[in-house]
Amino acid sequence: QQQVKQSPQSLIVQKGGISIINCAYENTAFDYFPWYQQFPGKGPALLIAIRPDVSEKKEGRFTISFNKSAKQFSLHIMDSQPGDSATYFCATYLLVSARQLTFGSGTQLTVLP
Amino acid sequence: EADIYQTPRYLVIGTGKKITLECSQTMGHDKMYWYQQDPGMELHLIHYSYGVNSTEKGDLSSESTVSRIRTEHFPLTLESARPSHTSQYLCASGGGFEQFFGPGTRLTVL
């Protein structure tokens, strides 16, 4: 099974700060690199996704940076808010794979007011 | 409203009991999945289905079984629950890189 290594496991940021979560993947030509957000008591939900032919994608305060040569991608949350406190999962998506999505181990983000 | 539902949300049972966790979706998705989420947050795929009468085991070995008789329904069954089955179980549906997750069932086996 292809693995996705995610770090850090937990992250505490002050309100207004930048939250950065990193992921690294192994040697496979994935089709998409999505990020999921999970609030307590809820299932994960898609936050943002990037294709491997794009180096950066921004949606509001959330940005994915993608480095194909290093096989790494990261989520940046600008102006972090207490409402962003959640668990974040990176993932890799491979269309031809029977399982399609492989998730990282998750990062628990806490944004202090 | 298109959605994915899981029942029960919480279940506390004794060892040896048979249980079924229900999952239904109204989005018409052919692909459905069951994940087990441990206290360390990791999501482990335990079963998936590509459509009616199609079920496969996932990456994490599980003593549970699933069935897919109708497109919208993907129940998970444990014939004899044990304390090691205590976990959060998440159902999801959808193709592509977006999977839609239900709220989960938190199972505790005493």
Side-chain angles (χ1 to χ4, degrees):
Chain A
Q1 177 196 357
Q2 298 288 341
Q3 290 188 339
V4 184
K5 296 181 180 179
Q6 183 172 346
S7 64
Q9 185 175 16
S10 63
L11 181 62
I12 300 175
V13 173
Q14 292 285 341
K15 179 182 176 181
I18 302 173
S19 304
I20 302 174
I21 305 170
N22 300 299
C23 283
Y25 61 97
E26 296 177 355
N27 192 19
T28 299
F30 293 106
D31 298 292
Y32 271 92
F33 297 85
W35 285 87
Y36 280 74
Q37 180 187 53
Q38 183 180 23
F39 292 106
K42 304 282 188 181
L46 179 68
L47 180 64
I48 186 173
I50 193 168
R51 296 192 329 245
D53 57 345
V54 176
S55 62
E56 185 176 282
K57 182 173 182 180
K58 183 176 181 179
E59 288 186 2
R61 296 182 294 107
F62 300 90
T63 300
I64 301 178
S65 297
F66 182 74
N67 186 331
K68 191 171 185 176
S69 61
K71 299 186 183 66
Q72 295 176 346
F73 58 110
S74 59
L75 177 70
H76 296 238
I77 306 175
M78 311 300 289
D79 187 25
S80 298
Q81 300 295 312
D84 297 330
S85 297
T87 300
Y88 292 82
F89 294 92
C90 64
T92 56
Y93 169 73
L94 185 63
L95 179 60
V96 298
S97 166
R99 298 164 180 79
Q100 296 193 321
L101 273 179
T102 300
F103 287 95
S105 54
T107 297
Q108 191 160 14
L109 171 66
T110 302
V111 181
L112 301 176
Chain B
E1 180 182 343
D3 211 337
I4 181 163
Y5 306 92
Q6 287 187 248
T7 57
R9 290 294 312 279
Y10 303 92
L11 182 59
V12 181
I13 60 168
T15 297
K17 298 292 186 183
K18 177 181 179 179
I19 61 164
T20 296
L21 308 184
E22 301 288 348
C23 176
S24 294
Q25 51 100 1
T26 58
M27 294 174 279
H29 292 150
D30 287 325
K31 295 174 184 174
M32 296 189 73
Y33 312 83
W34 275 102
Y35 292 87
Q36 186 172 336
Q37 185 170 33
D38 60 28
M41 304 176 297
E42 282 198 58
L43 291 162
H44 301 284
L45 182 67
I46 51 175
H47 299 283
Y48 60 98
S49 167
Y50 273 4
V52 171
N53 295 325
S54 154
T55 61
E56 300 287 344
K57 289 190 176 296
D59 304 316
L60 181 68
S61 176
S62 174
E63 294 168 345
S64 59
T65 59
V66 292
S67 62
R68 191 87 183 275
I69 298 173
R70 304 197 315 266
T71 297
E72 63 272 21
H73 195 213
F74 191 38
L76 181 147
T77 298
L78 275 168
E79 290 293 333
S80 180
R82 295 205 301 269
S84 61
H85 295 138
T86 294
S87 190
Q88 164 100 322
Y89 292 85
L90 290 162
C91 180
S93 73
F97 59 82
E98 183 169 18
Q99 288 183 10
F100 297 85
F101 283 81
T105 294
R106 183 160 295 281
L107 173 65
T108 302
V109 184
L110 304 176

